[in-house]
């Protein structure tokens, strides 16, 4: 009979997320994970199957948290311009305060040869694009954006811009650079 699990899996995923975010997949060993999580290798493998399985859960948690905040802001928005400005400026501030950068960007560059990682990133980006498209469509329907605007094209643009903004944040381009880029991007709504 298997022994009952003696640790909280959700807490373990959060702690592993922080470790992977700080050191990357390749820079985080099984011994780093077991020490951080306070479990033995057998328990880690029993709960997650592998280091890759735990990484996938950690990345998924990060994506859900990040996308969730954006989706909530977009769904509750009556003014797409103000909401997008608030979201984009918030990302600039987050990147200025967070030396680890964006976990999703880190994962995309470090694990670009791992199908599971790339599929999770693609899912996240589709969710963001879909939420943006929905908000932009509502803005066109209510007159907040001109009828000539293409919500799908704008959603693709802003999804791409967000990722570029996150990369520039990791490159420490600075607040003035990033805010200027945000202003330029938002001009696409005019």
């Amino acid at each position: 009979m298997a022994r009952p699990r003696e640790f909280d899996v959700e807490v373990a995923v959060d702690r592993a997320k922080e470790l992977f975010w700080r050191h990357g997949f390749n820079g985080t060993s099984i011994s780093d994970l077991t020490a951080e999580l306070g479990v033995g290798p057998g328990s880690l493998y029993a709960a997650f199957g592998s280091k890759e399985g735990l990484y996938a859960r950690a990345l998924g948690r990060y994506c859900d948290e990040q996308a969730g905040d954006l989706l909530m802001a977009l769904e509750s928005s009556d003014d797409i311009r103000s909401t997008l400005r608030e979201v984009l400026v918030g990302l600039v501030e987050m990147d200025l305060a967070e030396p680890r950068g964006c976990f999703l960007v880190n994962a995309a560059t470090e694990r670009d040869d791992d199908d599971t990682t790339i599929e999770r990133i693609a899912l996240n980006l589709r969710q963001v694009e879909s939420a943006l498209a929905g908000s932009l469509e509502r803005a066109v329907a209510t007159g907040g954006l001109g009828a000539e605007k293409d919500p799908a094209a704008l959603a693709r643009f802003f999804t791409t811009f967000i990722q570029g903004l996150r990369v520039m944040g990791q490159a420490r381009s600075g607040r003035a650079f990033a805010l200027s880029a945000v202003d330029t991007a938002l001009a696409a709504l005019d």
Side-chain angles (χ1 to χ4, degrees):
M1 180 176 194
R3 287 183 13 206
R5 195 167 282 138
E6 296 181 10
F7 67 97
D8 185 324
V9 171
E10 298 309 314
V11 170
V13 170
D14 283 335
R15 293 176 78 183
K17 177 188 73 173
E18 295 300 319
L19 198 59
F20 284 128
W21 193 357
R22 194 172 336 132
H23 300 291
F25 178 83
N26 294 326
T28 304
S29 69
I30 291 294
S31 61
D32 295 332
L33 288 165
T34 56
E36 179 70 22
L37 304 181
V39 299
S43 295
L44 187 138
Y45 286 111
F48 303 106
S50 63
K51 176 181 165 184
E52 289 81 1
L54 178 53
Y55 183 84
R57 291 274 303 269
L59 177 61
R61 173 76 46 88
Y62 176 86
C63 288
D64 291 345
E65 291 167 354
Q66 294 293 306
D69 292 344
L70 175 63
L71 300 179
M72 195 167 20
L74 291 171
E75 287 172 5
S76 64
S77 172
D78 292 329
D79 179 1
I80 191 66
R81 283 178 173 83
S82 296
T83 299
L84 272 176
R85 171 171 288 291
E86 184 178 317
V87 165
L88 295 173
V89 170
L91 291 174
V92 168
E93 296 304 327
M94 184 185 315
D95 287 340
L96 289 169
E98 179 53 70
R100 296 175 292 183
C102 173
F103 188 13
L104 183 132
V105 170
N106 297 346
T109 56
E110 181 185 22
R111 306 271 297 158
D112 65 333
D113 61 346
D114 180 68
D115 291 341
T116 301
T117 299
I118 296 305
E119 288 169 12
R120 184 60 177 100
I121 292 167
L123 172 64
N124 181 263
L125 296 176
R126 284 192 306 271
Q127 290 172 323
V128 168
E129 183 179 338
S130 177
L132 284 164
S135 290
L136 292 160
E137 287 166 3
R138 284 192 306 279
V140 169
T142 60
L145 279 180
E148 76 285 357
K149 296 296 182 184
D150 181 347
L154 284 170
R156 262 181 257 116
F157 166 73
F158 279 107
T159 300
T160 303
F161 177 76
I162 287 168
Q163 296 315 305
L165 188 64
R166 304 306 304 267
V167 169
M168 295 307 290
Q170 283 184 254
R172 301 290 175 230
S173 59
R175 181 177 279 108
F177 178 94
L179 293 178
S180 174
V182 166
D183 289 339
T184 301
L186 289 171
L189 300 177
D190 295 336

